[in-house]
Amino acid sequence: MRGKDDEYDYLFKIVLIGDSGVGKSNLLSRFTRNEFNLESKSTIGVEFATRSIQVDNKTVKAQIWDTAGQERYRAITSAYYRGAVGALLVYDIAKYLTYENAERWLKELQDHADANIVIMLVGNKSDLRHLRAVPTDEAKSFAEKNGLSFIETSALDSTNVETAFHNILAEIYRIVSQRQLAGGQPEAEFSHGTTIEPIKVLPTHQEGRQAPCCQNI
Ligand code: GDP
Ligand code: MG
C-alpha cells in the first residue's frame, strides 16, 4: 500500500550534472532536506532524493539524482540519464572553467539523454560575489543560444534554490499536461499516473544489445 508520502500525480526524474565541486550535492540536500555541508565530500551510497511540490493543484514528485562523484572521472553511465525528463546543469560562478565545461555537459546530454529533456543552466555559489568569474549576462546569452533556462543560486544561503527546482518542474509539468490535453499518450519517459510506475526504464540506447536476428550469425 502506498503511504501518504507516495501519493502524487506526476513523478519526474531530474538529474544533476556539472563539474565536481560546483555544489550539486548541496543543491540537492538544500532542496530535499534544507541542509548544507561546508565540507566537500562525495556522495556515497545515495542515488537520489525526492521531494514533492504542488504545481497547478497537482502533486509533482521530483526524484533527483546525484552523481555520487563519478563526474570526476567522466564515468557517468547512460543508466544515470535514462528516463530523466529534466537536468540541472550546474557550474560555479567563481570558477570559469566549470562554466566553460557546460558545453561538454550539453554534449553528454545529447549523447545519453532523451532529446526532449528540459535543461536548466544553474550558476551556483552566487553568494561568492567578490570572487565572481562568470558574468551573469554571458551565461544568460549562452543559455538563450542553447535553448536552456537559466538561474543563479546559492546552496549556502538558499537563494533561488526553491525557485530553480520549482521552475524546472513547472516547465516539465506544462509540457506533459499540454501533451495530454492534445490527446497524445504520455511518452514512456514523460508518463504519469499514481497507479503505474511513471518512470519506465526504456533504454534510449540499446546498450550492448543486438537485434535477435543478428546474434551469433
Ligand atoms: P558537487 O561535487 O558538485 O556535489 O559539490 P558539493 O555539493 O560537494 O560542494 C562542493 C563544495 O562547494 C563544498 O565545500 C560546499 O560546501 C561548497 N558549496 C556548495 N554550494 C555552495 C554555495 O552555494 N556557496 C558556497 N560558497 N559554497 C558552496
Ligand atoms: Mg557531489
Side-chain angles (χ1 to χ4, degrees):
M1 279 242 278
R2 282 178 188 277
K4 218 172 172 23
D5 284 353
D6 242 0
E7 284 167 15
Y8 51 83
D9 299 299
Y10 294 85
L11 173 63
F12 296 148
K13 175 177 172 180
I14 309 283
V15 290
L16 289 165
I17 54 167
D19 284 5
S20 169
V22 297
K24 299 181 296 299
S25 298
N26 275 286
L27 284 168
L28 177 65
S29 61
R30 177 62 80 195
F31 181 63
T32 57
R33 304 192 299 275
N34 200 18
E35 283 174 17
F36 180 82
N37 203 320
L38 262 178
E39 286 165 52
S40 185
K41 53 175 185 205
S42 293
T43 321
I44 305 163
V46 183
E47 283 183 314
F48 62 81
T50 61
R51 185 177 146 191
S52 294
I53 63 159
Q54 295 297 118
V55 182
D56 233 14
N57 290 325
K58 302 276 191 227
T59 302
V60 170
K61 182 171 179 172
Q63 186 187 73
I64 306 151
W65 288 60
D66 193 12
T67 56
Q70 304 103 316
E71 77 276 27
R72 216 166 294 231
Y73 315 103
R74 299 201 176 281
I76 297 180
T77 62
S78 42
Y80 185 70
Y81 298 102
R82 195 171 298 145
V85 292
L88 293 187
L89 199 181
V90 187
Y91 67 91
D92 176 346
I93 66 135
K95 291 218 171 77
Y96 198 82
L97 183 62
T98 67
Y99 165 72
E100 278 189 325
N101 282 338
E103 297 242 31
R104 287 194 187 178
W105 286 108
L106 276 183
K107 173 88 174 42
E108 181 86 358
L109 283 173
Q110 273 165 15
D111 291 347
H112 296 287
D114 186 89
N116 296 315
I117 193 165
V118 174
I119 307 167
M120 176 180 271
L121 182 67
V122 179
N124 188 43
K125 309 198 187 182
S126 62
D127 55 284
L128 299 178
R129 287 170 201 86
H130 51 299
L131 297 173
R132 179 184 284 275
V134 185
T136 306
D137 284 349
E138 184 180 340
K140 202 182 269 176
S141 52
F142 173 80
E144 272 167 23
K145 210 177 72 194
N146 289 281
L148 324 173
S149 40
F150 170 69
I151 197 165
E152 286 186 348
T153 58
S154 168
L156 186 144
D157 68 16
S158 299
T159 303
N160 278 345
V161 177
E162 287 281 317
T163 310
F165 283 100
H166 205 282
N167 285 0
I168 193 168
L169 290 167
E171 196 176 335
I172 297 163
Y173 168 79
R174 265 195 305 277
I175 294 169
V176 172
S177 51
Q178 275 169 13
R179 204 174 284 176
Q180 285 171 341
L181 267 182
Q185 277 298 309
E187 287 167 23
E189 70 278 10
F190 272 66
S191 61
H192 138 266
T194 50
T195 49
I196 53 163
E197 188 53 43
I199 291 175
K200 290 189 187 142
V201 206
L202 287 181
T204 38
H205 300 280
Q206 296 285 313
E207 286 169 320
R209 287 191 210 162
Q210 288 178 298
C213 72
C214 308
Q215 270 167 356
N216 305 321
I217 293 177

